[in-house]
Amino acid sequence: MNIRENPVETLTLPNNLELKIYDRSKKLAGDRWYVEVMMEIPVSLTPEILEKLTSDRSLAEQFAREKGNPFPYRHSKARHFIDEKEKEKTFQELKEDFLKTNWTYLSSPRFAFSAVAKAFKEWDERRRWRL
């Protein structure tokens, strides 16, 4: 997924990572909207993180090439068929709900490695199925 638009808001987390908030809402029909808030945290794939993922250096480098560096941790929340008058309120509610329930996790010093490790595990499982 390539994010082309600019974030509507950027927050610096206590662990010094940047949380970028995007409005990916789309008008459906008439006065109805698909409202989506997408959160993105670019995580630098440092040599320390890559070394912790696997002892196979070439595999870690392949993961970094395919996923990109920085690795984009992304999460979105959405609601369908929202009245145009409720669009901005719904967007704010989705954003605030996400931040309220995930702030501690996203702010943790372990977040960067945890997010990358989870993505690596999923990527490696898919890679093994293709072999």
Side-chain angles (χ1 to χ4, degrees):
M1 177 189 314
N2 189 9
I3 308 297
R4 284 177 258 136
E5 66 270 2
N6 293 321
V8 295
E9 189 175 351
T10 301
L11 305 171
T12 301
L13 298 166
N15 56 12
N16 292 322
L17 294 174
E18 267 192 353
L19 170 62
K20 298 177 182 185
I21 302 169
Y22 295 89
D23 183 349
R24 304 206 12 112
S25 302
K26 297 175 186 154
K27 192 168 190 169
L28 296 174
D31 66 347
R32 297 297 161 177
W33 282 75
Y34 168 78
V35 178
E36 179 182 9
V37 59
M38 192 191 64
M39 311 294 183
E40 179 182 68
I41 300 174
V43 177
S44 181
L45 296 177
T46 63
E48 295 79 25
I49 287 178
L50 293 176
E51 286 171 10
K52 285 182 187 177
L53 291 177
T54 178
S55 59
D56 185 340
R57 184 180 180 121
S58 66
L59 192 60
E61 290 172 356
Q62 182 182 353
F63 170 78
R65 278 192 308 276
E66 288 184 24
K67 293 297 181 177
N69 192 4
F71 167 78
Y73 167 83
R74 292 187 180 122
H75 186 82
S76 64
K77 293 181 76 80
R79 295 246 173 85
H80 301 272
F81 221 63
I82 301 299
D83 188 293
E84 190 166 30
K85 295 176 202 149
E86 298 293 315
K87 177 195 174 290
E88 190 56 37
K89 178 182 172 206
T90 302
F91 179 85
Q92 291 301 322
E93 287 172 354
L94 290 170
K95 178 184 89 168
E96 290 168 15
D97 181 57
F98 175 82
L99 292 174
K100 181 180 172 186
T101 57
N102 293 287
W103 187 260
T104 303
Y105 170 64
L106 300 174
S107 299
S108 167
R110 295 182 309 271
F111 169 77
F113 178 73
S114 295
V116 172
K118 181 177 186 278
F120 177 80
K121 181 180 177 190
E122 293 168 353
W123 172 85
D124 192 39
E125 287 173 1
R126 284 191 303 276
R127 180 191 66 82
R128 289 176 192 214
W129 279 102
R130 291 185 300 232
L131 295 178

